[in-house]
Amino acid sequence: MTDCLFCKIRDGEIPADRVYENDDVVAFRDVNPQAPTHVLIVPKRHIATINDLEPADAALMGEMQLAAKSIAANEGIDEDGYRLVVNCNSRAGQTVFHIHMHLLGGRAMTWPPG
Ligand code: AMP
C-alpha cells in the first residue's frame, strides 16, 4: 500500500530501529515506548486490521507470535514475562492501519488494561 507508515518502514523509506526480520515479518522498536521494551511486530504484507484476516493468514499470525518469542528472549524478558497486544480499530486504540503486535516488557504490567 502506497500511503502506509508501516509499509514504508518495511521498505526502508522511513527509518526504524529494527530488531528482527524474516521473509514474512519485520519488527522494530516503537517510537513512543510504553515500557522499557516496546517492539512492534508487523507482517510484511499489508493487512489493515484483524477484521481483514482470512483463513490463509493463520500461518502468518503464527509467525508473528514466534517472532515475539524470539525477540523476548533476545531482550532478556522471556522469563520475567511480557505482554502481546493487538489493537483492532479505533475504540481499541488502533492508529496505524497495518496489523501489528505490540511486545511490551521490562516492567510489571497491570490488569485490566486501560
Ligand atoms: P496502535 O495504536 O496499536 O495502532 O499502535 C501504533 C504504534 O505505532 C504506536 O505505539 C506508535 O507509537 C507507533 N509508531 C508510530 N509511528 C512510528 C514510527 N515511525 N516508528 C515506530 N513506531 C511508530
Side-chain angles (χ1 to χ4, degrees):
M1 203 192 197
T2 52
D3 199 26
C4 169
L5 174 64
F6 288 172
C7 286
K8 289 178 178 171
I9 289 176
R10 174 201 64 203
D11 294 341
E13 295 172 18
I14 292 176
D17 185 0
R18 293 181 186 228
V19 298
Y20 181 95
E21 185 165 6
N22 67 20
D23 286 347
D24 302 315
V25 169
V26 62
F28 47 87
R29 295 192 193 281
D30 195 294
V31 76
N32 183 24
Q34 302 301 310
T37 292
H38 187 173
V39 170
L40 301 175
I41 300 157
V42 179
K44 287 188 171 176
R45 186 157 55 82
H46 183 91
I47 305 170
T49 81
I50 290 288
N51 289 339
D52 299 302
L53 288 174
E54 305 282 353
D57 298 321
L60 181 59
M61 295 300 102
E63 284 277 356
M64 291 170 67
Q65 303 210 37
L66 289 170
K69 170 189 165 180
S70 175
I71 296 161
N74 289 343
E75 296 283 318
I77 58 172
D78 52 334
E79 293 301 325
D80 281 349
Y82 54 93
R83 183 168 291 173
L84 302 176
V85 175
V86 181
N87 296 321
C88 182
N89 276 340
S90 58
R91 205 169 187 187
Q94 185 174 7
T95 59
V96 178
F97 287 83
H98 180 142
I99 286 177
H100 50 282
M101 178 181 286
H102 297 254
L103 165 57
L104 297 145
R107 65 169 172 83
M109 301 287 162
T110 58
W111 194 263

